[in-house]
Amino acid sequence: MIRLSTKGRYGTRLMVSLAQHYHNRRESIILKKISDEEEISIRYLEQIIIPLKIARLVKSIRGAGGGYILARDPSNIKLREILLALEGACCLVECVDDEDYCDRIKECATYEIWKNASSLLKDYFENTTLQDLVEIADKKNPSVRK
Amino acid sequence: MIRLSTKGRYGTRLMVSLAQHYHNRRESIILKKISDEEEISIRYLEQIIIPLKIARLVKSIRGAGGGYILARDPSNIKLREILLALEGACCLVECVDDEDYCDRIKECATYEIWKNASSLLKDYFENTTLQDLVEIADKKNPSVRK
DNA sequence: AGAATTCTTATAAATTTATGTTGAAAAATA
DNA sequence: TATTTTTCAACATAAATTTATAAGAATTCT
């Protein structure tokens, strides 16, 4: 299957959770809470949030009362940035992103196909913001206030 | 990374090779030849061709003088069929194809996103045939006759 | 019978997915 | 400022899956 890894899926859900809290009150939130809400192992979330921190999409606040918080407004964070941080370049095959990966590019017929398909995804994720995701969530669960 | 597995990539190249030979003379071709041409381990190709056979996209002929041959004309084989055989449903996440996979679908904001993105890919692969791939290959390598 | 080829099964290496344990840093509080 | 609590950070490990190779059996052609 052409598959988004759990890192990409869980990480995106993590960012949506952070965005929902960011929106309603600008406080940091602890991973434990997201772990409970989203039913994802906190140990795994801890691993997943590292690349998001490195990419400066989230900030961590240590110590009592600490937690994590978005580094920017959700409307200013593209889904593509999130996936880039979590999974590296958002392309279906290595060779689309790294020309040196395979020396058959010049002959390979499938290269063009994977490249086009990757572009479709890239454009879609480029034009989807974290804010869009929050709005979808709000629409699906009108009653829930976080 | 949102990644096509090697099964999907190698299998597609395998199908293109079969299509090129099918086009020029309707003989079966042995995996060893494709293995040499495409530089993919023959043992691995043997595993990869099994689902293609099960999906009735290729036919096998056993024994000396045997080999593999496309079951239909390349213009009548969609890339989506190939990927479906090799990787299962062509969707980014399980839940898009199997509603029972996760019970958070009703609340999950990311579900809609992965579903839309999967549709983009699905439509693209649905409208690309093996013949299209052969023509791309011909254009890239005008001199090569197989 | 012998050669060529697919088919089957086993297994090993690499990567992804996930959990457990311990330690370090920061903030709150007394 | 010392203590305690909360939380992030780092490291180790285990399970599952993907990727790949090996060896030999079964089948068919000549």
Side-chain angles (χ1 to χ4, degrees):
Chain A
M1 184 162 40
I2 298 163
R3 198 143 62 83
L4 196 59
S5 72
T6 56
K7 225 166 157 186
R9 287 186 282 134
Y10 294 172
T12 304
R13 278 163 60 190
L14 172 56
M15 288 295 280
V16 172
S17 283
L18 287 176
Q20 288 174 321
H21 288 273
Y22 180 92
H23 192 256
N24 290 301
R25 41 185 189 290
R26 321 238 147 169
E27 301 170 339
S28 65
I29 175 178
I30 60 176
L31 277 193
K32 179 73 173 64
K33 193 169 180 191
I34 296 179
S35 167
D36 289 344
E37 284 172 6
E38 297 287 329
E39 294 171 279
I40 302 170
S41 149
I42 188 167
R43 303 302 175 189
Y44 201 25
L45 283 180
E46 283 173 345
Q47 283 180 50
I48 288 169
I49 208 166
I50 292 171
L52 294 171
K53 235 179 36 179
I54 292 172
R56 295 174 185 279
L57 296 175
V58 308
K59 282 186 291 194
S60 65
I61 299 159
R62 299 184 71 158
Y68 291 96
I69 189 169
L70 286 189
R72 309 202 293 267
D73 194 89
S75 64
N76 198 23
I77 296 178
K78 293 169 180 175
L79 180 50
R80 181 152 132 74
E81 291 179 281
I82 298 172
L83 294 175
L84 188 67
L86 290 166
E87 318 236 25
C90 115
C91 53
L92 295 177
V93 292
E94 282 286 352
C95 58
V96 168
D97 199 59
D98 174 10
E99 303 249 331
D100 295 328
Y101 180 75
C102 170
D103 53 7
R104 314 188 123 264
I105 288 181
K106 276 193 277 302
E107 313 131 47
C108 182
T110 61
Y111 172 75
E112 327 289 324
I113 299 297
W114 308 141
K115 189 172 186 175
N116 291 343
S118 296
S119 283
L120 289 175
L121 288 184
K122 208 175 73 177
D123 292 346
Y124 181 66
F125 295 142
E126 178 76 21
N127 290 300
T128 302
T129 71
L130 199 45
Q131 181 60 33
D132 295 329
L133 279 160
V134 170
E135 281 164 21
I136 291 172
D138 285 348
K139 197 169 279 181
K140 288 181 99 166
N141 310 291
S143 56
V144 179
R145 287 282 117 195
K146 281 189 177 168
Chain B
M1 183 163 39
I2 299 165
R3 198 143 62 83
L4 195 59
S5 72
T6 55
K7 225 168 158 184
R9 286 186 283 135
Y10 294 173
T12 304
R13 278 163 60 190
L14 173 55
M15 288 295 281
V16 172
S17 283
L18 288 174
Q20 289 175 320
H21 287 273
Y22 179 93
H23 193 256
N24 289 302
R25 42 184 188 288
R26 320 238 147 168
E27 302 170 339
S28 64
I29 176 178
I30 61 175
L31 276 193
K32 178 74 173 63
K33 193 168 181 191
I34 296 179
S35 167
D36 290 343
E37 284 173 6
E38 297 288 329
E39 295 171 279
I40 302 170
S41 148
I42 189 167
R43 302 302 178 184
Y44 202 24
L45 283 181
E46 283 173 344
Q47 281 181 50
I48 289 170
I49 209 166
I50 292 171
L52 295 171
K53 237 177 37 178
I54 292 172
R56 297 175 184 278
L57 296 175
V58 308
K59 283 187 291 195
S60 65
I61 300 159
R62 297 187 71 163
Y68 293 95
I69 189 169
L70 286 189
R72 310 201 294 266
D73 194 90
S75 64
N76 198 24
I77 296 178
K78 293 169 178 172
L79 181 50
R80 182 152 131 74
E81 291 179 279
I82 298 172
L83 294 174
L84 189 67
L86 290 166
E87 318 236 25
C90 115
C91 52
L92 295 176
V93 292
E94 282 286 352
C95 58
V96 168
D97 198 60
D98 174 11
E99 304 250 329
D100 296 328
Y101 179 75
C102 169
D103 54 5
R104 314 187 123 264
I105 288 181
K106 275 193 280 302
E107 313 130 48
C108 183
T110 61
Y111 172 76
E112 327 288 325
I113 300 297
W114 309 140
K115 190 172 184 175
N116 291 344
S118 298
S119 283
L120 288 175
L121 288 184
K122 208 175 74 177
D123 292 345
Y124 181 66
F125 295 144
E126 178 76 22
N127 291 301
T128 302
T129 70
L130 198 46
Q131 180 62 31
D132 295 330
L133 279 160
V134 170
E135 280 164 21
I136 291 171
D138 285 347
K139 197 170 278 180
K140 288 181 99 165
N141 310 291
S143 56
V144 179
R145 289 278 118 198
K146 280 189 177 167

